[in-house]
């Protein structure tokens, strides 16, 4: 008989699975001159700040808990956002691991006069759910995947996690 390691299932604490739609969040604000560069474009750092907030909303909605940012795997600036435009952020949980969740965020600009919308930024942010009393990581409810798009995003989140963890452990080995 081959020597096999016993694999224990990861406990979700008996938490009831939730659909991705329960985590979906959207926020918007007007781009004012105080948060733009000299060219009248929204500051990239401000976009990152808004991405973190929108992503935290989705993670908190899914986990029904406080959440902390663990990592930002990816952020891509495709188009600038101009002063006077609306910046719109849409977020949802892509995948749940044990205590962590990957959240995808899409950012759009919208011209207030014409209604034209442009996809400006994409980001993937990982959050850890935190227990309100112990302040320690806590288990998160699994996801219910309904659509082909949700299943694709779930698979891709797993690939990103493998890459993220491989880079983390590589950096640790280089430091040691």
């Amino acid at each position: 008989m081959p020597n096999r390691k016993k694999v224990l299932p990861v406990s979700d604490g008996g938490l009831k699975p939730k659909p991705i739609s329960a985590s979906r969040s959207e926020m918007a604000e007007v781009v004012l001159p105080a948060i733009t560069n000299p060219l009248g474009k929204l500051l990239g750092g401000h976009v990152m700040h808004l991405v973190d907030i929108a992503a935290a909303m989705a993670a908190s909605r899914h986990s029904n808990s406080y959440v902390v940012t663990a990592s930002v795997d990816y952020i891509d600036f495709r188009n600038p956002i101009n002063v006077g435009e609306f910046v719109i952020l849409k977020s949802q949980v892509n995948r749940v691991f044990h205590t962590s969740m990957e959240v995808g965020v899409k950012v759009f600009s919208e011209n207030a006069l014409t209604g034209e919308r442009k996809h400006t930024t994409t980001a993937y942010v990982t959050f850890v759910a935190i227990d309100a009393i112990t302040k320690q990581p806590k288990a998160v409810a699994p996801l219910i995947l309904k659509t082909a798009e949700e299943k694709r995003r779930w698979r891709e989140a797993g690939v990103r996690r493998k890459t993220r963890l491989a880079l983390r452990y590589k950096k640790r080995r280089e430091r040691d």
Side-chain angles (χ1 to χ4, degrees), residues 112-160:
L113 302 178
T114 67
E116 178 190 11
R117 229 179 228 204
K118 289 182 186 173
H119 180 199
T120 65
T121 308
T122 299
Y124 299 103
V125 188
T126 301
F127 286 86
V128 174
I130 301 295
D131 183 88
I133 297 167
T134 66
K135 308 294 189 253
Q136 295 299 308
K138 71 175 218 175
V140 179
L143 283 174
I144 298 170
L145 305 172
K146 294 182 178 180
T147 69
E149 173 76 4
E150 290 173 350
K151 291 173 186 173
R152 179 189 62 79
R153 292 172 71 107
W154 184 90
R155 282 190 308 274
E156 291 173 357
V159 171
R160 283 187 293 273

Side-chain angles (χ1 to χ4, degrees), residues 61-128:
R61 280 183 165 167
H62 180 79
S63 64
N64 294 109
S65 65
Y66 296 124
V67 296
V68 293
T69 309
S71 71
V72 179
D73 286 356
Y74 177 84
I75 189 160
D76 180 38
F77 297 100
R78 298 172 181 206
N79 291 297
I81 304 170
N82 298 307
V83 67
E85 291 183 326
F86 301 133
V87 57
I88 300 160
L89 297 96
K90 295 183 177 193
S91 59
Q92 70 178 35
V93 173
N94 289 334
R95 187 162 178 168
V96 169
F97 300 101
H98 179 58
T99 60
S100 65
M101 301 155 275
E102 183 200 88
V103 179
V105 182
K106 283 189 176 180
V107 183
F108 302 88
S109 64
E110 183 178 307
N111 183 301
L113 302 178
T114 67
E116 178 190 11
R117 229 179 228 204
K118 289 182 186 173
H119 180 199
T120 65
T121 308
T122 299
Y124 299 103
V125 188
T126 301
F127 286 86
V128 174

Side-chain angles (χ1 to χ4, degrees), residues 8-88:
L8 299 173
V10 174
S11 171
D12 61 13
L15 297 169
K16 184 178 174 186
K18 294 172 79 172
I20 288 175
S21 59
S23 72
R24 286 195 182 114
S25 301
E26 186 171 330
M27 59 184 274
E29 69 176 51
V30 178
V31 177
L32 300 172
I35 54 175
T36 63
N37 65 24
L39 301 173
K41 311 297 182 190
L42 182 60
L43 294 166
H46 192 76
V47 173
M48 291 190 294
H49 173 74
L50 295 174
V51 161
D52 194 41
I53 292 170
M57 287 170 47
S60 185
R61 280 183 165 167
H62 180 79
S63 64
N64 294 109
S65 65
Y66 296 124
V67 296
V68 293
T69 309
S71 71
V72 179
D73 286 356
Y74 177 84
I75 189 160
D76 180 38
F77 297 100
R78 298 172 181 206
N79 291 297
I81 304 170
N82 298 307
V83 67
E85 291 183 326
F86 301 133
V87 57
I88 300 160

